């Protein structure tokens, strides 16, 4: 980029902050990533897509779980699908408070390291220090992607929603359709917005050249 590989150079998607690279002309953002009035924080010119800078498309058409009345009666389950370095002692303390606030609930912890019994024992001890019995903890190790996606159906949600299991069930039953109706799932509109952004940047370059002194 420093050697100017293209007449217009754009940073996009991977990292929403400024590169600080003088030869990077634009950063593609949206009103959330780069709120109005934040342009001075960027070395690049900011172009905001009208909806979202991110767009989601699943790797496969995973079947949506069939949430029945039984889901409103099972043990309420909180969950975390993360690598262990992200789960600090402070995080364990906060999660323990959630479990204490919702009696009879359990916590599903999924991480590659939980294929190791030593890691499981260590985390049982961390929660035990906060008064959480190991019977309220479920540990799962790595599986294939399709199986992992299916495991999300075993997780419910946080403390406030736990108080109304009927409302929680209704939310889960319609969640996919609600998400798919949002701009972040509209690949066609996203593509048109992206194309318009590139055209805008090219026009700006042409205007800058036309107005530059000879």
């Amino acid at each position: 980029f420093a050697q100017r590989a293209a007449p217009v150079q754009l940073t996009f998607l991977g990292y929403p902050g400024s590169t600080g690279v003088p030869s990077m002309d634009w950063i593609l953002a949206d009103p959330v990533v780069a709120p109005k009035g934040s342009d001075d924080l960027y070395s690049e010119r900011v172009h905001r897509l009208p909806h979202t800078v991110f767009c989601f498309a699943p790797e496969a058409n995973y079947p949506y779980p069939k949430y029945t009345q039984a889901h409103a009666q099972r043990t309420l389950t909180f969950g975390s699908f993360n690598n262990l370095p992200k789960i600090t002692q402070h995080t364990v303390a906060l999660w323990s408070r959630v479990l204490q606030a919702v009696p009879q609930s359990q916590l599903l912890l999924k991480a590659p390291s939980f294929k190791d019994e030593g890691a499981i024992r260590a985390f049982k001890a961390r929660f035990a220090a906060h008064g959480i019995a190991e019977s309220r903890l479920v540990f799962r190790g790595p599986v294939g992607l399709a199986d992992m996606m299916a495991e999300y159906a075993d997780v419910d949600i946080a403390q406030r929603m736990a108080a109304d299991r009927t409302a929680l069930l209704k939310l889960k039953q319609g969640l996919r359709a609600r998400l798919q109706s949002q701009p972040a799932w509209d690949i066609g509109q996203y593509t048109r917005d992206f194309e318009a952004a590139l055209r805008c940047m090219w026009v700006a370059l042409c205007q800058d050249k036309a107005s530059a002194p000879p």
Side-chain angles (χ1 to χ4, degrees):
F1 286 109
Q3 297 190 22
R4 181 62 64 180
V8 180
Q9 299 194 145
L10 162 69
T11 180
F12 166 60
L13 197 62
Y15 177 69
S18 176
T19 65
V21 176
S23 58
M24 191 67 71
D25 304 304
W26 293 86
I27 182 168
L28 199 64
D30 61 34
V32 175
V33 170
K36 183 179 180 180
S38 65
D39 293 43
D40 289 346
L41 300 176
Y42 295 88
S43 60
E44 306 87 0
R45 296 169 70 177
V46 180
H47 184 97
R48 295 172 180 84
L49 293 178
H51 300 293
T52 172
V53 74
F54 301 105
C55 190
F56 176 78
E59 294 189 21
N61 187 24
Y62 298 108
Y64 195 61
K66 296 185 183 301
Y67 291 110
T68 66
Q69 190 59 35
H71 285 78
Q73 299 168 351
R74 71 182 186 184
T75 300
L76 188 107
T77 303
F78 301 102
S80 168
F81 288 45
N82 278 298
N83 288 320
L84 291 197
K86 298 179 180 180
I87 307 177
T88 66
Q89 294 281 14
H90 181 63
T91 303
V92 170
L94 292 175
W95 287 349
S96 296
R97 288 171 57 187
V98 173
L99 289 170
Q100 291 162 354
V102 185
Q104 308 305 317
S105 63
Q106 65 182 6
L107 174 62
L108 166 59
L109 293 169
K110 183 173 180 63
S113 297
F114 286 139
K115 65 182 179 181
D116 178 67
E117 286 297 325
I120 293 175
R121 286 195 300 269
F123 270 81
K124 284 181 178 179
R126 291 183 185 183
F127 280 94
H130 295 280
I132 303 301
E134 65 177 63
S135 61
R136 299 184 67 188
L137 303 172
V138 179
F139 297 91
R140 294 184 185 173
V143 295
L145 181 59
D147 291 334
M148 186 194 77
M149 296 301 292
E151 286 182 301
Y152 279 99
D154 297 333
V155 177
D156 294 305
I157 205 165
Q159 178 186 351
R160 183 170 56 184
M161 294 297 298
D164 190 340
R165 297 295 297 272
T166 300
L168 176 59
L169 175 61
K170 185 177 180 180
L171 171 69
K172 294 163 80 72
Q173 288 172 333
L175 191 57
R176 176 172 287 187
R178 289 175 58 191
L179 288 176
Q180 289 177 333
S181 69
Q182 300 300 310
W185 277 260
D186 189 340
I187 298 173
Q189 183 62 54
Y190 183 85
T191 301
R192 291 188 290 273
D193 292 341
F194 192 91
E195 291 170 342
L198 298 182
R199 170 59 60 182
C200 179
M201 294 173 195
W202 180 256
V203 169
L205 173 69
C206 296
Q207 291 175 340
D208 290 344
K209 286 186 174 181
S211 61

